[in-house]
Amino acid sequence: MDSHHSNRGRWARRFAAVAGAAILPTAVACAPPGSGYTTTAPTEPVAVSTDLGTDPIELTLYDGAGLKKIDEALIAAFTERHPNVTITARYDPDEVQAVNAPRVLASDNPPDIARIIALPAAVANRQLTALDPWAEAYGWNELPEGQMAMYRVDDAGVRGTGPQYTMASGFTLTGLYYNEELATRIGMTSPPTTVEEFEQALAAAKTTGLVPIMAGNKSAQVTFLVQMMLNTALGQDAVNDWVFNTPGATLDTPAGVDAAAVVADWAAKGYFPQDTNGTDATAAAGRFAAGEALFYASGNWDAATLQTKMGEDVGFVLPPAPAGAPVLAMSDPVSNFAIPSGSDDKNAAAAFLDFLRSDAGRQVAVDAGFAPAGTGKVPATAPGSLGAQIQAAFGRLVASGGQVQFVQNATNGMSGTWLPQVQMLAAGRTTPGQMMAAVQSAYQQDLLR
């Protein structure tokens, strides 16, 4: 790979050495009782090869609609390198993609490449291909262990260890966008780094007649703020364990309830727009760009749009942390791509996964406003741009080991659970304790615990 193996001669020798060098056995799959959506894998063994030849190859890719732009760019860059490959993409709305994924994977004609959110469930249902033979062929063992943990799941259904099943198209980073002009208006000379500074800025914005925080809670964006507070209250390990489905993990603790109570208090004080529950993420980004709010809690997927609309009037900062505490931020794969068991061409699909960590693939991720997968020199960004701010913030977060997984990704149904809960929280129609109990109950039901 370009970023891992700058010597092209070494790259070419690896291609020649591993082509056809491994055989991946597959078996008829059986799922645990009650798991549903089981896929029966092909019975023929798959000869692992990194040589795609010249014959026409057709692949299908399945993802969430919000990632269409980066996917199309990745597909274009990959097929330019492999002109005999055609990739047709299919998208579901972001808010239902995780729920629909098991049915799509178990269909008579599953995709060759698919975004997976609830990895343990898909593995338990034998819907995915173990990638270790291709990992050996392509040298994926050279990837950072922190990234590899996001791609693995063990026989007990716990993420972080075990065989590799996925590869990221890039990484997200969630933090706070802020309006530079409005910040000056309230006397905010630098972005807040502590929770105390953040709340002081929120109060000042409200007093000045501004909307303190833009949030499209029709798309559950208040969840970002709830998790920022959960991260600070519970810590990185507890939140990651919950998302990774570690036995005994829970968010329904006194500290977890207190974290949700902070956000409920912000809602009660009018820190969100009055129509937050009727505003979706796209509208929220547009309204923030138009100067309606001081802060916007979102991720690097909004960077390109905000830069275009706001120019130098927008900044980005990592989430606030308690004074003296480490900075934590939600940061996980943009699309955690896997090869479904029923893929028609697993070698070509694996070549696409490998491309994601190439120089070209990494540049696509950064151009789309995300952080790059793999390792190597950070792709180019315009000096002083919002993208450059985000890449610098991501570098600091990775260096300090502060990546935390998104709570919505804990199970296939978890996005659907958080949505009504944070909407009721913002409207004052549930208590923090009731919300956290409901989230934990749905989590345990999803995991059949």
Side-chain angles (χ1 to χ4, degrees), residues 189-253:
T189 57
S190 60
T193 58
T194 67
V195 175
E196 181 180 12
E197 291 173 350
F198 182 48
E199 291 194 310
Q200 288 173 351
L202 297 178
K206 182 65 176 178
T207 300
T208 309
L210 303 173
V211 174
I213 313 171
M214 178 55 60
N217 209 31
K218 186 177 181 180
S219 303
Q221 284 192 322
V222 169
T223 308
F224 293 150
L225 294 153
V226 172
Q227 186 170 356
M228 287 179 188
M229 295 301 102
L230 285 171
N231 292 345
T232 65
L234 300 180
Q236 178 184 33
D237 290 344
V239 176
N240 278 341
D241 283 350
W242 193 78
V243 180
F244 281 172
N245 304 156
T246 301
T250 181
L251 300 181
D252 187 15
T253 65

Side-chain angles (χ1 to χ4, degrees), residues 65 91 123 133 147 198 250 255-256 258 265 273 311 318 344 347 423 447:
Y91 301 97
V123 171
Q147 292 182 19
F198 182 48
T250 181
D258 287 346
D265 182 58
L318 292 171
D344 293 329
N347 284 320
Q423 288 178 340
L447 296 178

